[in-house]
Amino acid sequence: MSKNKFKSLALIVVGTAAVVGCASLPSSAELDAQAQAMLKASFREEGIATMQRLDQDLGQKACSGAEAPSEAVSKQIEAESLASVKWPTGGQYLGDWKEGEKLAQNGRGMTWTDKSADPKGNGASCYNCHQIGPAEVSFGTIGPSLYNYGKLRGVKDVADPASAPIVQYTWGKLWNSKAYSACSNMPRFGHMKLLDEEQIRHLMALLLDPRSPVNQ
Amino acid sequence: MRRGWLALCVALCSAAPALAQKTAADGIAEYRKLLADGNPAELFEAKGEDLWKQKRGPKNATLQACDLGKGPGVVKGAFVELPRFFADTGKVQDLESRLLTCMSTLQGLDAAAIAKTPFGRGEQSNMEALAAWVASESRGARMNLPQGHAEERRMYEMGKRAFYFRGGPMDFSCASCHGTEGQRIRLQDLPNLTKNPGDGIGFAAWPAYRVSSGELWSMQRRLNDCFRQQRFPYPGYASDVTVALGVYMGVNAKGAESIAPAIKR
C-alpha cells in the first residue's frame, strides 16, 4: 500500500468513526434532561390536572427508573415520609367499616374530567389493587390480599394496647405508604390530600374492625 | 360494563374467592371469545379504506401517495414497523402522527386543528377509521420496529424514561400497572409492557374496538386514557411523549403478532 493510499484509507476510517460517533446516543444525563423537556412540551393543563403534577418530589424522582434507588436514598424517603404522617385527631383511629367499603369500591377522583380535587368527592380505589371483602370477586392483584387483615394480625379489640402497633402502622400506611416502602405502588392518601382524616378512619375500620366482613 | 362483568362472573364462577380468581378470568376469556366472533372493528376498517381512496380536503386528493414508511402507497406491513423515523419530517412518527402529515401535505387538511379535535368527532373519527384500516392490513404480521436510525434509538430512550416517570397526586407511572407480570386491575389483566407481552397483547392489539363504549380506540386514545387514569395533565395528540412510548412498547414487543384492530371489553 502506498503512503497516499494509506492516508486516504485512514481518513475514511476516521470519517466513518465520526459519522458513527454523531449517530451514537447522548449521555444518560443528557437523555434525562431531554425527557424532562419532552414531558413539559407534550402535556398541558386540563381542568384540575395542572402541570405541577409533573413536578416530582424526592421519592417520585428516585422511584422513576427500572432500578430501585440506593439503600440510603430509600431510607431517607421512608424517614421523611414517616415524619410527615399526621396522626388522627384525639387518637380516634376507627370509623365506620360500611363507609370504608363504599370508599374501597369507589375509584373516582383527581382526573382531568373530575370537577373538584376536594377529597370528599374521591374514592380510595382499594379494590383496583387489593382483595378485601369476601363478597367482591372483582379485585386487582397489584397489592397483597387484605382479606382477614385484622384477624390475621390478631386484632380482637382495637382499643387493646397490644393492637396499637398494627393500628398505628395501618394508619401510617394509608396516610403515607412510602413511610414503610420508599417506592410503594400505593398512593399516599393522606399526604397527597386524596382522602381526609374521616375517610381514612372508615378505611381503618374496614380493615381492622372485628365486625367488618373483612375479618369474619 | 363492570356491572355486566360481575353478573357474568356470578353466573360463571363459584363464590369461593380463591377459586373465583381463576374462574373469573376464565369467564372473561369466554366472554371475549364470544365477542370476537364478530368484531365491529371491521366496519371502521371498511370506512378507513374508503377514506384512503377518497379525494378530500382543500387539495381534493386521496391518501394513496402517503408514505407510511415502506414507500408511497404501501400499506401492507407498514403498521408493524411504526413508529419509525421519516426523513421528510425529520421526526420519528407513529401511525397517527404520520397520517396527520399525509392529510396535511397531500390533502391540505389542517393538522393542528385535527390534533385539537376531541376523540370520536369530526376528522378524529376519520382518523380512527384510517388507523383501523392501516392496522388491519398488517394483521397476522409480527411487530418489527426499526431501530437503525439514531433518532429511533433516542426516542426509545425517551419512551423508557416516560414509562418509568412517576408523578401526579397518586405517584403513578406506566410501570405501576404495566411493569410486572401477571397482575390485574379489578378483573382486567395487565400486560407487562417492559418486554414482549405475547402475541396480540398490549401494543400489538391497538387500535381496538371497545365493546363497553361502542367505539374504536386508536393507540393515541388508549394512551390518553392511561394518562387520565394516571391523574397526569393532558397529553397532546401525537405529542412526543405519546410517540416515544409507542417506540418503547413497540420495540419491546418485537416478534409479537399484531391482531389490531382487536376487540376489547
Side-chain angles (χ1 to χ4, degrees), chain A residues 137-139, chain B residues 5-6 8-10 12-14 16-32 184 186-189:
Chain A
V137 296
S138 175
F139 57 83
Chain B
W5 269 37
L6 280 180
L8 189 88
C9 284
V10 170
L12 293 174
C13 316
S14 92
L19 213 64
Q21 201 165 333
K22 195 72 210 161
T23 49
D26 290 348
I28 292 157
E30 183 117 338
Y31 170 70
R32 287 207 186 101
R184 301 188 326 228
R186 288 279 184 161
L187 285 177
Q188 181 68 54
D189 290 326

Coordinates of all heavy atoms in Angstrom, one line a residue, chain A residues 137-139, chain B residues 5-6 8-10 12-14 16-32 184 186-189:
Chain A
V137 N -65.7 -10.1 44.1 CA -64.7 -11.0 43.3 C -63.9 -10.2 42.3 O -62.9 -10.7 41.8 CB -65.4 -12.2 42.6 CG1 -66.1 -13.1 43.6 CG2 -66.5 -11.7 41.6
S138 N -64.4 -9.0 42.0 CA -63.7 -8.1 41.0 C -62.7 -7.3 41.7 O -62.9 -6.1 42.0 CB -64.7 -7.3 40.3 OG -64.0 -6.4 39.4
F139 N -61.5 -7.9 42.0 CA -60.5 -7.2 42.7 C -59.2 -7.3 42.0 O -58.9 -8.3 41.3 CB -60.3 -7.7 44.2 CG -60.0 -9.2 44.3 CD1 -58.7 -9.7 44.1 CD2 -61.1 -10.1 44.5 CE1 -58.5 -11.0 44.2 CE2 -60.8 -11.5 44.6 CZ -59.5 -11.9 44.4
Chain B
W5 N -69.9 -7.4 33.8 CA -68.9 -8.4 34.1 C -69.2 -9.2 35.3 O -69.1 -10.4 35.4 CB -67.6 -7.7 34.3 CG -66.8 -7.5 33.1 CD1 -67.2 -7.2 31.9 CD2 -65.4 -7.5 33.0 NE1 -66.2 -7.1 31.0 CE2 -65.0 -7.3 31.7 CE3 -64.4 -7.8 33.9 CZ2 -63.7 -7.3 31.3 CZ3 -63.1 -7.8 33.5 CH2 -62.8 -7.5 32.2
L6 N -69.7 -8.4 36.3 CA -69.9 -9.0 37.6 C -71.1 -10.0 37.5 O -71.0 -11.1 38.0 CB -70.3 -7.9 38.6 CG -69.2 -7.2 39.2 CD1 -69.6 -6.2 40.2 CD2 -68.2 -8.2 39.9
L8 N -71.8 -11.6 34.9 CA -71.3 -12.7 34.2 C -70.5 -13.6 35.1 O -70.6 -14.9 35.1 CB -70.3 -12.2 33.1 CG -69.8 -13.2 32.1 CD1 -70.8 -13.4 31.0 CD2 -68.5 -12.8 31.6
C9 N -69.7 -13.0 36.0 CA -68.9 -13.7 37.0 C -69.8 -14.5 37.9 O -69.5 -15.7 38.2 CB -68.0 -12.8 37.8 SG -66.7 -12.2 36.9
V10 N -70.8 -13.9 38.4 CA -71.7 -14.6 39.3 C -72.3 -15.8 38.6 O -72.4 -16.9 39.2 CB -72.8 -13.6 39.8 CG1 -73.9 -14.4 40.5 CG2 -72.2 -12.5 40.7
L12 N -70.9 -17.5 36.1 CA -69.9 -18.4 35.7 C -69.0 -19.0 36.8 O -68.4 -20.0 36.7 CB -69.0 -17.8 34.6 CG -69.7 -17.5 33.3 CD1 -68.7 -16.8 32.4 CD2 -70.2 -18.8 32.6
C13 N -68.9 -18.2 37.9 CA -67.9 -18.6 38.9 C -68.6 -19.1 40.2 O -69.7 -18.8 40.5 CB -67.1 -17.4 39.3 SG -66.7 -16.4 38.0
S14 N -67.8 -19.9 40.9 CA -68.3 -20.3 42.2 C -67.9 -19.2 43.1 O -67.2 -18.2 42.7 CB -67.5 -21.6 42.6 OG -66.3 -21.2 43.4
A16 N -66.3 -19.2 46.1 CA -65.1 -19.2 46.9 C -64.1 -18.3 46.2 O -63.7 -18.5 45.1 CB -64.6 -20.6 46.9
P17 N -63.5 -17.3 47.0 CA -62.6 -16.3 46.4 C -61.4 -16.9 45.7 O -61.1 -16.5 44.6 CB -62.2 -15.4 47.6 CG -63.3 -15.6 48.6 CD -63.8 -17.0 48.4
A18 N -60.8 -17.9 46.3 CA -59.6 -18.5 45.8 C -59.9 -19.1 44.4 O -59.1 -19.0 43.5 CB -59.0 -19.5 46.7
L19 N -61.0 -19.7 44.3 CA -61.4 -20.4 43.1 C -61.9 -19.3 42.1 O -61.6 -19.4 40.9 CB -62.6 -21.4 43.4 CG -62.6 -22.6 42.6 CD1 -61.4 -23.5 42.8 CD2 -63.8 -23.5 42.9
A20 N -62.6 -18.3 42.6 CA -63.2 -17.3 41.7 C -62.1 -16.6 41.0 O -62.3 -16.2 39.8 CB -64.0 -16.3 42.6
Q21 N -61.0 -16.4 41.6 CA -59.9 -15.7 41.0 C -59.6 -16.3 39.6 O -59.4 -15.6 38.6 CB -58.7 -15.8 41.9 CG -57.7 -14.7 41.6 CD -56.7 -14.6 42.8 OE1 -57.0 -14.9 43.9 NE2 -55.5 -14.1 42.5
K22 N -59.5 -17.6 39.6 CA -59.2 -18.3 38.3 C -60.4 -18.3 37.4 O -60.3 -18.0 36.2 CB -58.7 -19.7 38.7 CG -58.0 -20.4 37.5 CD -56.6 -19.8 37.3 CE -56.2 -19.9 35.9 NZ -55.1 -19.0 35.6
T23 N -61.5 -18.8 37.9 CA -62.7 -19.0 37.1 C -63.2 -17.6 36.6 O -63.8 -17.6 35.5 CB -63.8 -19.7 37.8 OG1 -64.0 -19.1 39.1 CG2 -63.4 -21.2 37.9
A24 N -63.0 -16.6 37.3 CA -63.5 -15.2 36.9 C -62.7 -14.9 35.6 O -63.3 -14.5 34.6 CB -63.2 -14.2 37.9
A25 N -61.4 -15.1 35.6 CA -60.6 -14.9 34.4 C -61.0 -15.8 33.3 O -61.1 -15.3 32.1 CB -59.1 -15.1 34.7
D26 N -61.4 -17.0 33.6 CA -61.8 -17.9 32.5 C -63.1 -17.4 31.9 O -63.3 -17.5 30.7 CB -62.1 -19.3 33.1 CG -60.8 -20.0 33.5 OD1 -59.7 -19.5 33.1 OD2 -60.8 -21.0 34.2
G27 N -64.0 -16.9 32.8 CA -65.3 -16.4 32.4 C -65.1 -15.2 31.4 O -65.8 -15.1 30.4
I28 N -64.2 -14.4 31.7 CA -63.9 -13.2 30.9 C -63.3 -13.7 29.5 O -63.7 -13.1 28.5 CB -62.9 -12.2 31.6 CG1 -63.6 -11.6 32.8 CG2 -62.5 -11.1 30.7 CD1 -62.7 -11.1 33.8
A29 N -62.4 -14.6 29.6 CA -61.8 -15.2 28.4 C -62.9 -15.7 27.4 O -63.0 -15.4 26.2 CB -60.8 -16.3 28.7
E30 N -63.9 -16.4 28.1 CA -65.0 -16.9 27.3 C -65.9 -15.8 26.7 O -66.2 -15.8 25.5 CB -65.9 -17.7 28.3 CG -67.1 -18.4 27.6 CD -67.0 -19.9 27.8 OE1 -65.9 -20.4 28.0 OE2 -68.0 -20.6 27.7
Y31 N -66.1 -14.8 27.5 CA -66.9 -13.6 27.1 C -66.2 -12.9 25.9 O -66.8 -12.6 24.9 CB -66.9 -12.6 28.3 CG -67.5 -11.3 28.0 CD1 -68.8 -11.1 27.7 CD2 -66.6 -10.2 28.1 CE1 -69.3 -9.8 27.5 CE2 -67.1 -8.9 27.9 CZ -68.5 -8.7 27.6 OH -68.9 -7.4 27.4
R32 N -64.9 -12.8 26.0 CA -64.1 -12.2 24.9 C -64.2 -13.0 23.6 O -64.3 -12.5 22.5 CB -62.6 -12.0 25.3 CG -62.4 -10.9 26.3 CD -61.0 -10.4 26.2 NE -60.7 -9.4 27.2 CZ -60.0 -9.7 28.3 NH1 -59.5 -10.9 28.4 NH2 -59.8 -8.9 29.3
R184 N -53.4 -7.8 37.8 CA -54.7 -7.3 37.4 C -55.1 -6.0 38.0 O -54.7 -5.8 39.2 CB -55.8 -8.3 37.7 CG -55.7 -9.7 37.2 CD -57.0 -10.5 37.4 NE -57.7 -10.2 38.7 CZ -58.1 -11.1 39.6 NH1 -57.9 -12.3 39.4 NH2 -58.7 -10.7 40.6
R186 N -58.7 -4.7 39.2 CA -60.0 -5.3 39.2 C -59.9 -6.7 38.5 O -59.0 -7.4 38.9 CB -61.1 -4.5 38.6 CG -61.5 -3.3 39.5 CD -62.4 -3.7 40.6 NE -62.8 -2.5 41.4 CZ -63.9 -2.5 42.2 NH1 -64.7 -3.6 42.3 NH2 -64.2 -1.5 42.9
L187 N -60.7 -7.0 37.5 CA -60.5 -8.3 36.8 C -59.7 -8.1 35.5 O -59.5 -9.1 34.8 CB -61.9 -8.8 36.5 CG -62.7 -9.4 37.7 CD1 -64.1 -9.9 37.2 CD2 -61.9 -10.6 38.3
Q188 N -59.2 -6.9 35.2 CA -58.6 -6.7 34.0 C -57.1 -7.1 34.0 O -56.3 -6.6 34.9 CB -58.7 -5.2 33.6 CG -58.0 -4.8 32.3 CD -58.8 -5.4 31.1 OE1 -60.0 -5.1 31.0 NE2 -58.0 -6.1 30.3
D189 N -56.7 -8.0 33.2 CA -55.3 -8.4 33.1 C -54.4 -7.3 32.6 O -54.8 -6.6 31.7 CB -55.1 -9.6 32.2 CG -55.7 -10.9 32.7 OD1 -55.7 -11.1 33.9 OD2 -56.2 -11.7 31.9

